[in-house]
């Protein structure tokens, strides 16, 4: 039995027309870092709150460490939770905020001091020990919230979008802090975020949700390279995957504006004879502008006019229209183009994905 098990979990609020969460089944191993990710309203936070015990499970079963938790109070589930809004007591200092929960648990004073000193040290909060929340930055407040959770020495940490209130630079720093903390504590962590970059960089496995339904579960690069459907393919990765409505006839792919490319046998064999209307997907980095790839796939060379550019420092994003659809190529910093330039490019055929037109299921 896995350390945490969700078996056919449903959540439907009174008076609602449909489920907020539908048939979620998931096994989470001890010490694993799992990220729930998806757009707003997809059910990820509701699922987390059912694990925490803050939301009642409509149907299904939840087990933590082999024990059924459906009717167990949150305080008795052996979890610690970190929220988006810090929820610090404004009149208490850093050390008092961290120690408050332990005092409520009637932990002896000497043990409280030892645990608080340890948390303050591991989170780099020593110089802020006597400060109150109003005198702390957002990142420091979030570290205090983490400290309050880790001193409880629970086996499970639940984090509900803990970095969404921070600026971009602090989010990167805190991602590293949380990942390091997870490794040092050896805890089982479930992390909810709408930011796919956070999920990709932090998690052992990612659970992608849409409309209350789990779309795919897997390691970050497995989801990136082998998406189960168009939604997963478009959600994971930045910039988003390019999608084209096409018709496949034999080996010829025809785009909706009439442009054509031919597929090699290696790609056709993976399609197992599928023909007709499909959706072609390809990531920006697999649209190649360099001379080596253009020479390699020269029979399928295409051209377009650059409509916008994003200079990212280590790479450039080039925006253009191809096949009747808005497209973006992700190229190296040395491949410099400006608005109005005509570019030549090829699709890397081995990196193409094809999706069913109706179900949006991914074939390859």
């Amino acid at each position: 039995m896995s350390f945490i098990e969700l078996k056919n979990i449903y959540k439907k609020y009174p008076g609602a027309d449909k489920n907020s969460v539908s048939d979620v089944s998931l096994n989470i191993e001890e010490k694993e870092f799992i990220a729930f990710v998806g757009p707003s309203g997809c059910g990820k936070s509701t699922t987390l709150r059912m694990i925490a015990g803050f939301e009642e499970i409509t149907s299904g079963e939840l087990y933590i460490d082999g024990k059924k938790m459906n009717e167990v109070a949150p305080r008795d589930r052996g979890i610690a939770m970190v929220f988006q809004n810090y929820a610090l007591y404004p009149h208490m200092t850093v050390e008092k905020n961290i120690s408050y929960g332990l005092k409520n648990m009637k932990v002896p004073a000497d043990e409280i001091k030892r645990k608080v000193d340890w948390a303050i040290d591991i989170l780099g909060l020593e110089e802020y020990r006597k400060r109150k929340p109003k005198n702390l930055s957002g990142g420091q407040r979030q570290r205090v919230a983490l400290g309050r959770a880790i001193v409880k020495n629970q086996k499970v940490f639940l984090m509900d979008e803990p970095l969404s209130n921070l600026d971009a630079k602090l989010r990167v720093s805190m991602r590293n802090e949380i990942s390091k903390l997870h490794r040092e504590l050896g805890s089982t962590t479930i992390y909810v975020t709408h930011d796919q970059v956070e999920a990709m960089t932090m998690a052992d496995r990612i659970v992608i949700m849409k409309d209350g339904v789990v779309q795919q579960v897997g390691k970050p690069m497995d989801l990136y390279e082998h998406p189960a459907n168009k939604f997963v393919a478009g959600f994971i990765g930045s910039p988003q995957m390019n999608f084209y409505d096409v018709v496949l006839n034999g080996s010829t792919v025809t785009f909706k504006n009439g442009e054509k490319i031919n597929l090699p046998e290696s790609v056709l064999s993976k399609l197992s004879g599928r023909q007709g209307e499909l959706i072609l997907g390809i990531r920006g980095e697999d649209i190649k502008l360099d001379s080596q790839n253009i020479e390699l796939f020269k029979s399928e060379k295409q051209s377009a006019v650059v409509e916008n550019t994003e200079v990212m420092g280590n790479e450039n994003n080039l925006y253009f229209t191809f096949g009747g659809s808005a497209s973006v190529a992700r190229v190296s910093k040395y491949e410099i183009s400006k608005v109005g330039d005509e570019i030549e490019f090829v699709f890397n055929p081995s990196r193409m994905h094809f999706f069913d037109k109706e179900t949006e299921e991914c074939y390859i």
Side-chain angles (χ1 to χ4, degrees):
M1 176 175 280
S2 299
F3 186 65
I4 299 176
E5 289 192 26
L6 288 76
K7 294 184 176 182
N8 308 111
I9 298 292
Y10 286 80
K11 177 63 181 180
K12 186 174 184 180
Y13 290 98
D17 294 330
K18 61 179 183 178
N19 297 319
S20 295
V21 173
S22 297
D23 199 20
V24 172
S25 293
L26 180 67
N27 293 337
I28 301 172
E29 302 303 326
E30 192 168 9
K31 300 184 180 181
E32 195 172 15
F33 194 123
I34 293 286
F36 280 79
V37 69
S40 296
C42 71
K44 56 189 184 296
S45 289
T46 300
T47 303
L48 189 81
R49 292 175 65 83
M50 285 191 285
I51 296 171
F54 300 149
E55 296 280 2
E56 184 179 349
I57 296 171
T58 303
S59 66
E61 298 176 341
L62 169 68
Y63 295 86
I64 298 178
D65 201 11
K67 300 174 183 176
K68 189 175 179 180
M69 292 290 165
N70 290 52
E71 308 300 329
V72 177
R75 65 177 179 273
D76 299 322
R77 294 192 179 196
I79 61 172
M81 192 153 182
V82 180
F83 298 95
Q84 176 181 346
N85 62 359
Y86 318 138
L88 302 179
Y89 295 104
H91 62 288
M92 293 185 182
T93 62
V94 166
E95 61 181 359
K96 288 185 178 178
N97 262 287
I98 293 174
S99 67
Y100 185 75
L102 296 176
K103 288 180 179 178
N104 283 346
M105 294 165 65
K106 310 299 183 185
V107 175
D110 58 339
E111 187 176 347
I112 290 176
K113 184 178 185 310
R114 179 179 60 80
K115 287 186 172 183
V116 170
D117 288 347
W118 167 76
I120 285 176
D121 178 62
I122 200 172
L123 292 168
L125 291 169
E126 182 59 45
E127 63 181 293
Y128 312 109
R129 178 189 287 264
K130 299 298 182 182
R131 291 191 191 181
K132 293 180 180 178
K134 67 179 180 180
N135 297 317
L136 300 174
S137 69
Q140 290 159 359
R141 292 178 191 176
Q142 193 56 275
R143 291 209 298 271
V144 175
L146 285 168
R148 186 175 53 194
I150 66 175
V151 293
K152 294 179 181 178
N153 197 31
Q154 305 288 19
K155 288 186 175 182
V156 180
F157 285 90
L158 306 181
M159 301 189 183
D160 192 4
E161 303 207 37
L163 308 185
S164 60
N165 288 337
L166 305 181
D167 62 40
K169 185 177 179 180
L170 269 177
R171 284 203 299 272
V172 173
S173 174
M174 286 303 298
R175 284 205 311 255
N176 292 331
E177 296 242 8
I178 291 173
S179 295
K180 180 182 176 183
L181 194 60
H182 168 75
R183 290 191 299 270
E184 291 181 355
L185 298 178
S187 57
T188 304
T189 302
I190 304 176
Y191 187 100
V192 163
T193 179
H194 65 275
D195 186 337
Q196 54 100 5
V197 175
E198 284 183 18
M200 290 286 287
T201 55
M202 298 173 71
D204 298 318
R205 287 190 298 152
I206 299 173
V207 180
I208 300 182
M209 297 186 70
K210 176 189 177 187
D211 298 332
V213 178
V214 173
Q215 302 294 304
Q216 191 173 359
V217 181
K219 295 179 180 179
M221 287 309 297
D222 287 342
L223 300 183
Y224 188 82
E225 295 184 343
H226 306 290
N229 55 42
K230 183 185 174 187
F231 175 79
V232 174
F235 193 85
I236 294 292
S238 181
Q240 179 178 294
M241 182 181 284
N242 300 289
F243 296 108
Y244 306 94
D245 291 327
V246 300
V247 175
L248 178 60
N249 184 11
S251 63
T252 302
V253 173
T254 303
F255 294 80
K256 63 183 179 182
N257 68 344
E259 291 172 302
K260 300 177 187 292
I261 60 172
N262 289 292
L263 300 180
E265 182 57 37
S266 58
V267 175
L268 289 171
S269 63
K270 294 178 182 177
L271 282 168
S272 304
R274 293 183 177 91
Q275 296 279 296
E277 293 187 352
L278 297 169
I279 299 170
L280 187 159
I282 189 165
R283 296 200 182 276
E285 63 265 32
D286 298 319
I287 299 177
K288 301 296 187 180
L289 279 70
D290 62 286
S291 57
Q292 184 176 355
N293 275 289
I294 287 179
E295 177 63 25
L296 183 63
F297 304 113
K298 59 186 176 183
S299 62
E300 307 306 326
K301 183 172 64 176
Q302 305 293 332
S303 64
V305 175
V306 176
E307 298 168 355
N308 192 27
T309 64
E310 290 178 341
V311 178
M312 311 295 287
N314 63 327
E315 62 189 19
N316 298 321
N317 293 330
L318 308 181
Y319 292 85
F320 55 93
T321 298
F322 175 73
S325 299
S327 306
V328 56
R330 187 178 179 185
V331 301
S332 80
K333 63 182 179 181
Y334 304 109
E335 297 174 79
I336 301 170
S337 298
K338 61 182 183 295
V339 174
D341 284 353
E342 183 172 338
I343 56 173
E344 293 184 333
F345 59 90
V346 293
F347 286 6
N348 182 343
S350 67
R351 306 298 295 172
M352 292 180 187
H353 298 272
F354 285 90
F355 305 85
D356 185 274
K357 182 78 172 181
E358 300 300 323
T359 67
E360 298 189 347
E361 175 189 355
C362 187
Y363 296 136
I364 59 170

